[in-house]
């Protein structure tokens, strides 16, 4: 499942609430609405805030499937759920559990600026 977030876009920055992410290929775009897509395997989880492009979230569900762990997260301050897929090794290293607060950030983000923003 892809994660799609409605956002605004201004001079190379994707903005959603207090989260801003540099998207240099769109430096010439001004104040347009946009949609940012992140695939679950492209969402990084950290125990501490390692950079400014992270978002605080709380783990709401954990599901192990073979060598992959699916982690459902609720973003703090928003009624928004995100899903991440990480390896079992990374899961053990981070010592994740339901209710734990973590920081998430996209490793890869696709930005779409629709001509007709009707999403």
């Amino acid at each position: 499942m892809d994660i799609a977030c409605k956002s605004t876009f201004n001079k190379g920055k994707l903005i959603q609430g207090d989260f801003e992410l540099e998207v240099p290929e769109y430096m010439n775009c001004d104040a347009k609405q946009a949609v940012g897509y992140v695939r679950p395997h492209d969402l990084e989880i950290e125990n501490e805030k390692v950079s400014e492009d992270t978002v605080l979230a709380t783990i709401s569900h954990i599901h192990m499937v073979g060598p992959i762990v699916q982690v459902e997260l609720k973003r703090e301050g928003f009624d928004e759920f995100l899903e991440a897929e990480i390896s079992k090794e990374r899961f053990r290293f981070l010592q994740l559990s339901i209710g734990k607060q973590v920081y998430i950030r996209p490793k890869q983000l696709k930005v779409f600026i629709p001509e007709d923003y009707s999403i």
Side-chain angles (χ1 to χ4, degrees), residues 6-15 26 28-35 111-117:
K6 293 181 185 179
S7 308
T8 58
F9 197 77
N10 193 7
K11 296 180 182 168
K13 288 186 180 181
L14 184 71
I15 304 164
Y26 292 102
N28 296 328
C29 290
D30 287 330
K32 293 183 178 181
Q33 292 192 330
V35 177
V111 176
F112 296 94
I113 303 173
E115 292 296 321
D116 174 24
Y117 194 82

Side-chain angles (χ1 to χ4, degrees), residues 36-98:
Y37 286 95
V38 179
R39 294 185 181 267
H41 62 271
D42 284 328
L43 200 59
E44 185 70 42
I45 300 175
E46 300 286 348
N47 283 326
E48 299 176 3
K49 187 171 186 167
V50 296
S51 66
E52 290 302 313
D53 62 350
T54 60
V55 173
L56 185 62
T58 301
I59 297 172
S60 60
H61 184 76
I62 297 170
H63 182 69
M64 292 190 189
V65 182
I68 300 296
V69 179
Q70 296 171 337
V71 182
E72 187 175 295
L73 306 126
K74 183 177 185 303
R75 183 173 168 191
E76 292 298 311
F78 289 81
D79 191 25
E80 178 177 277
F81 286 87
L82 308 169
E83 184 180 310
E85 290 181 358
I86 60 175
S87 69
K88 278 189 179 175
E89 291 81 19
R90 182 82 178 146
F91 174 78
R92 287 187 200 109
F93 174 78
L94 293 170
Q95 299 178 342
L96 301 180
S97 60
I98 294 173

Side-chain angles (χ1 to χ4, degrees), residues 9 11-14 19-25 27 53 109:
F9 197 77
K11 296 180 182 168
K13 288 186 180 181
L14 184 71
F19 175 72
E20 292 186 8
L21 185 66
E22 297 280 338
V23 188
E25 60 267 28
M27 285 301 285
D53 62 350
L109 174 74

